[in-house]
Amino acid sequence: MTLKSSDPTGLGQEPDTRTLSGKLGPGAIVFMVVAAAAPLTVIAGTVPLGVSVGNGAAYPASYVVCTVILLLFAVGFTTMAKHVDGAGAFYTYITKGIGRHTGLGSAFLALLSYTAVQGAVYGYIGAALGDFVTSHGGPEIPWYVYAIAVVAIVATLGYRHIDLSGKVLGVLLICEVGIVLVIDAAVIGSGGGDTGLSTAALDPGEFFSGAPGIALIFAIAGYIGFEATAVFRDEARDPARTIPRATYTALIVIGVFYAISSWAVISAWGDEGAVAIAGENPEGMITETATKYVGAIAGDLVQILLISSLFAAVLAFHNVLSRYIFSLANSSALPARCGTAHAKHASPYVASIVQTVSALVLILASAVAGLDPVTEVFAWFAGVASVGIVALMTITSIAVLVYFRRTRIDRRPWNTIVAPTLGLIGLGVLLFMTIANLPLLVGGSDTLAALIGVLLVGVFLGGIAVAVLRPHAATLLTSAQKETSR
């Protein structure tokens, strides 16, 4: 039986529990993970940057490379998932593989990384809403007002049962993916631009031209959140089967979609033309493509669905962060109050409220500092998240190898040695390139890049300090949950 906490309101409401519940299948989880990846936002915002400052018309191949690396990573990740009971994703795996101290350091690094990417999206959506309203004759309102309004909506959905968020994300995701597929079909059906369909992505020489390292950094940013399939473990219908299926499906769907759609956008303008428009008008590249090949209405729809894409992403990240906080609270690393689930909605509602407050703090601090919502809030926070997430995946790869080497619980070479090792090598290269190019990701400032590095390392060490000061913290989540059920 699960122990229930006392009534926190004193109003006679049904008491909270410390477990989450749900019947999410692979499809619902894939919806939330792919929504967090914000497909339309990637095609509209990241692809032009990858084309203009990366490796040009060969940029779509970067998504193929990243997908292969992450699929190799996923082999060990999902194999170990069968032996990990907690829903803490990265930090749970790292704790079980390497140890409690590194695990808690990784947990705090994950909180910072996901909080940063959520802050980045709030900046972008605030600016996008402002631009949309003013471009249609509306009043000019500060970006942070729109961002705070979005926070209120996200907070409401995050407070309720996960099924509601899943349904909302499903509708929004279908719309944004649908418009991009329509554009893809129109471009491919017409045979591309004047020079035909692009073949640059198939040429290794083209791939390694320009700055392929930067191209891979922009590409890997589009996958942030895919590993969150494991965060929904407690709310999955059949975790042992659902989580692996959702992970592989999400990766393949994201990778194929990005590769084909970026190739179609490049083909629409020709190799040289695509590089030119990506450099001159990156924000409007997808809108102009839609208008040229589908019609003016499609261009307007892209503007609207870009906003819904950003909303879907921020809602998905809110759900992920809430569950990270919930898991950490139930492993004694954070205040126990954050580890209570709503009796009616079975949601981590206290953690959701905490996450809402942290988002408001980031938005208000950025507004007071006078930061530009796109070039500073979005770019800087996304830079923090990129380094943090790739570092977490690299550490998790090491944890997988160590775990199977130590326990011998699974002796399949491909699942426990070969694939995880290849994934580790690939992620190690990506991490090196991300760190080396961090100044570019934050506007060319070496000082800001250094400060971000210090912040990331400091938070990781802070998690280790918590492990030292609180010997019972993260002794594993399942142990904490078992204690609460006695």
Side-chain angles (χ1 to χ4, degrees):
M1 153 177 116
T2 302
L3 179 67
K4 296 183 178 180
S5 64
S6 59
D7 177 9
T9 65
L11 300 176
Q13 293 180 347
E14 190 175 349
D16 304 320
T17 67
R18 290 191 175 275
T19 57
L20 302 179
S21 65
K23 297 180 180 179
L24 298 177
I29 296 177
V30 168
F31 268 131
M32 277 181 276
V33 171
V34 177
L40 179 55
T41 302
V42 170
I43 301 303
T46 305
V47 169
L49 293 175
V51 172
S52 61
V53 301
N55 50 3
Y59 179 70
S62 302
Y63 288 118
V64 177
V65 173
C66 289
T67 301
V68 171
I69 291 174
L70 295 180
L71 282 172
L72 290 169
F73 164 80
V75 172
F77 182 69
T78 56
T79 300
M80 189 172 171
K82 300 174 183 178
H83 310 288
V84 176
D85 296 329
F90 282 149
Y91 90 82
T92 312
Y93 291 73
I94 293 170
T95 297
K96 200 157 188 175
I98 300 177
R100 191 173 63 89
H101 293 74
T102 305
L104 262 183
S106 300
F108 280 71
L109 180 58
L111 280 178
L112 173 64
S113 300
Y114 283 114
T115 299
V117 76
Q118 186 179 223
V121 178
Y122 274 123
Y124 202 136
I125 195 171
L129 280 166
D131 290 343
F132 180 77
V133 171
T134 55
S135 67
H136 287 78
E140 188 169 338
I141 299 174
W143 69 270
Y144 51 83
V145 175
Y146 290 112
I148 291 173
V150 173
V151 169
I153 299 172
V154 169
T156 302
L157 291 171
Y159 187 90
R160 299 177 65 83
H161 197 282
I162 188 65
D163 287 345
L164 178 59
S165 291
K167 292 173 182 177
V168 171
L169 289 173
V171 172
L172 296 180
L173 182 62
I174 290 171
C175 291
E176 66 174 293
V177 170
I179 188 63
V180 176
L181 291 178
V182 168
I183 297 170
D184 292 349
V187 172
I188 297 171
S190 65
D194 295 337
T195 58
L197 299 174
S198 175
T199 58
L202 303 176
D203 185 347
E206 290 287 338
F207 178 81
F208 288 104
S209 65
I214 295 175
L216 288 170
I217 292 171
F218 281 121
I220 198 69
Y223 295 80
I224 290 178
F226 88 89
E227 77 294 335
T229 50
V231 175
F232 298 101
R233 180 185 182 88
D234 290 344
E235 294 151 288
R237 183 182 303 127
D238 180 4
R241 301 178 64 183
T242 299
I243 300 306
R245 289 180 180 178
T247 303
Y248 286 121
T249 302
L251 274 176
I252 293 171
V253 167
I254 291 172
V256 171
F257 179 82
Y258 287 165
I260 292 177
S261 298
S262 58
W263 168 71
V265 170
I266 291 169
S267 295
W269 302 95
D271 292 353
E272 294 183 3
V275 174
I277 191 173
E280 295 168 2
N281 184 25
E283 297 88 353
M285 188 175 184
I286 186 64
T287 303
E288 289 190 28
T289 304
T291 302
K292 178 180 178 181
Y293 284 87
V294 184
I297 294 178
D300 291 336
L301 278 175
V302 166
Q303 283 187 301
I304 296 171
L305 292 175
L306 175 59
I307 294 171
S308 72
S309 172
L310 290 163
F311 176 79
V314 81
L315 175 58
F317 282 124
H318 178 92
N319 285 331
V320 171
L321 273 162
S322 297
R323 282 149 184 80
Y324 257 108
I325 294 171
F326 180 88
S327 296
L328 284 169
N330 276 320
S331 63
S332 302
L334 291 177
R337 187 74 181 91
C338 295
T340 52
H342 197 281
K344 178 180 178 181
H345 301 302
S347 64
Y349 76 107
V350 177
S352 178
I353 293 171
V354 170
Q355 181 50 37
T356 297
V357 172
S358 70
L360 287 173
V361 169
L362 280 179
I363 293 169
L364 294 175
S366 298
V368 171
L371 300 181
D372 182 88
V374 177
T375 61
E376 293 175 325
V377 176
F378 179 76
W380 294 359
F381 289 176
V384 172
S386 295
V387 177
I389 297 300
V390 176
L392 284 168
M393 286 192 286
T394 304
I395 299 172
T396 302
S397 292
I398 296 173
V400 169
L401 288 166
V402 172
Y403 174 77
F404 286 116
R405 176 65 180 267
R406 185 181 71 248
T407 65
R408 304 289 183 179
I409 197 169
D410 191 323
R411 296 178 180 274
R412 292 174 293 175
W414 171 254
N415 294 69
T416 62
I417 300 175
V418 179
T421 299
L422 293 174
L424 173 60
I425 294 171
L427 287 168
V429 173
L430 288 177
L431 178 61
F432 172 79
M433 290 190 299
T434 303
I435 294 173
N437 290 281
L438 184 58
L440 175 65
L441 296 179
V442 293
S445 173
D446 291 328
T447 300
L448 183 57
L451 288 175
I452 289 175
V454 171
L455 176 64
L456 290 166
V457 173
V459 168
F460 182 81
L461 294 177
I464 293 178
V466 170
V468 172
L469 296 174
R470 305 187 69 176
H472 298 296
T475 51
L476 266 187
L477 176 61
T478 50
S479 299
Q481 289 178 322
K482 288 176 183 177
E483 287 300 319
T484 63
S485 64
R486 291 176 182 173

